[in-house]
Amino acid sequence: MHDGPAHATTDIEGYVPFPADRVRAYREAGDWRDLTFHAVVDRVAEATPSRRALVGPERELSYGDLARNSRRLAGAFRDELGLRADDTVTLQLPNCVEFVEAFLACSRLGVVPAFVLPRHREQELGHVVSLTESKAVVTAGDRYDLGFDYVGLVDSVVDDHAHLDACVAVAGDGSDAPTGWHDLTALRDHDEEVDGDDVNPCNPGLFMLSGGTSGLPKAIPRTHNDYVYLWEHIARAMGVEADWTLVAGLPIPHSFAFGYVLGAGLWAGATVAVEPALKPDPLVALVDRVDGDVTTLIPKQLIDFLDAGADATLSTLRVVCSGGQKVPPDLVRRVADQWDAGFCNVFGMGEGAQVITRPDDPVEVQATTVGRPLGPGDEIRIVDEGREVPRGELGELVVRGPGVFTGYFRNEAANESSFDDDGWFYTGDVFSQRPDGTYEVWGRLDDTINRAGETIYAPAIEDVLVEHPKIAKAAVVGVPDEALGERVGAAVELRRGTASLTLDEVTAFLDERGLAVFRRPERLAVVASLPETDVGKIDRGAVEREFGAGESV
């Protein structure tokens, strides 16, 4: 346990630390256990070093292997790359064993990794490297067939950043690192090890990137303490046991898989299985190959899994987690019927707020709510224009607690608009609380459609649309209208084997379901595929722009 004073956190320009009084309170309550990320792994490695930690397409590691490899890699990062505490490294790696090794090596040095998603390109990578003043970039070489030249991507931005001193690639067996680059495999054979016992768990341990449908991502500093708090309570909420295997169906650098697969797995001393190609066939095959107990999927992936062929049994799944956008209730019911698995309907964000259903909740609670706050220290309010609303009414979710961040990195404008003077974070999400204490999420504040003075929440309409036998996915947006302000527009993907769908069919279906007339779509676009953001969410902004250009989504 770290014995330093509660306020003795690092002083990085642009980082907003937790206030000293809250640090003390979280420690005294036991919410913060003063464990670094690597200390979580070391606890398991010391007790059961042979227990399997990671399974990849080419490599498997025990907890003892993982601890040792990350110590050696930390030594190489220090001695060969010149990295020191509070330096930043940009990590752009797929789901692979090497990502975890590099992440833990940074943790041992007190180096702060910034997670860049594999789908990010030159604009996002350059922005993150510049914003965080990264000293090094670690990216994919030729070990995995990813269909993209990540070394070339880094080469395209490296000359623009004088502070970027080193580039590291994951080279394949028998391959050499590119000229002027370091090979991660060779670095892992470094003679000197770093334990990392002196790293302060109150300091930033990583930069997560904000999701979003427009603009460049914001950097979210997360301390070891606040994220380990999430790891512990995610594992506890899902009931993860040491003999379970958790399968990452989403990019591990994204907060969903990072918390609900990697973090929960490491906390419980379980096995984490990773696959670089996040496509339905290899992911389904991975779950069956490793007898997966848990997987995390966004709704569109969940549809693919449920529709997998007869060769995919998926019979070992105990818990399925989905979120990232509102999960249609029908998908949750299908999971219960088809796999008899518990469902964690997750409202979560990189900033830290987590509200989830538990696997043993009634199916209808899992299908129609996002359950309850994750941990005992979480503070939640639902407000409208600054006042808390009565239970049952809709308002904006505001949060604070031991697992919620304290400010965006070097972004005063965003912090000014997102936080109040008492440290409450305004999420921009519309929530309500049911009489039984569970919460419903209605969408983002900017998902609201104002039709002739009536407030309409788009995700609630989407939930009903995807129950139509012809509709696989739906995005509902506001379409500008001179007379009414906005009309309701719906863009839909059709289910396999469906050739067409008319607005009249949709209207008749919604009429049968009792949907109010003013909430029914007045414009319909049938599309081959809905546009998506970098993390696989439906890109509502793109749908709105295409409707404005004439319904050609």
Side-chain angles (χ1 to χ4, degrees), residues 3 29 48 56 109 113 117-118 129 137 191 233 262 322 363 371 387 411 413 419 505 508 546 552:
D3 295 323
T48 53
L109 286 175
L117 297 175
V129 169
V137 174
D191 291 336
H233 291 289
L262 181 63
S322 190
V363 172
R387 67 171 184 88
N411 196 329
F419 287 87
E505 289 178 272
E546 294 297 339
S552 177

Side-chain angles (χ1 to χ4, degrees), residues 211-282:
T213 57
S214 63
L216 292 169
K218 298 185 285 291
I220 306 167
R222 304 301 305 272
T223 71
H224 298 260
N225 263 328
D226 76 71
Y227 230 122
V228 169
Y229 168 85
L230 295 183
W231 286 4
E232 175 183 357
H233 291 289
I234 290 170
R236 184 173 297 172
M238 293 195 300
V240 180
E241 301 287 347
D243 60 352
W244 286 21
T245 299
L246 294 80
V247 179
L250 296 164
I252 287 181
H254 185 264
S255 60
F256 196 178
F258 185 77
Y260 285 78
V261 173
L262 181 63
L266 295 181
W267 177 266
T271 301
V272 174
V274 291
E275 162 59 51
L278 298 180
K279 303 294 184 182
D281 288 347

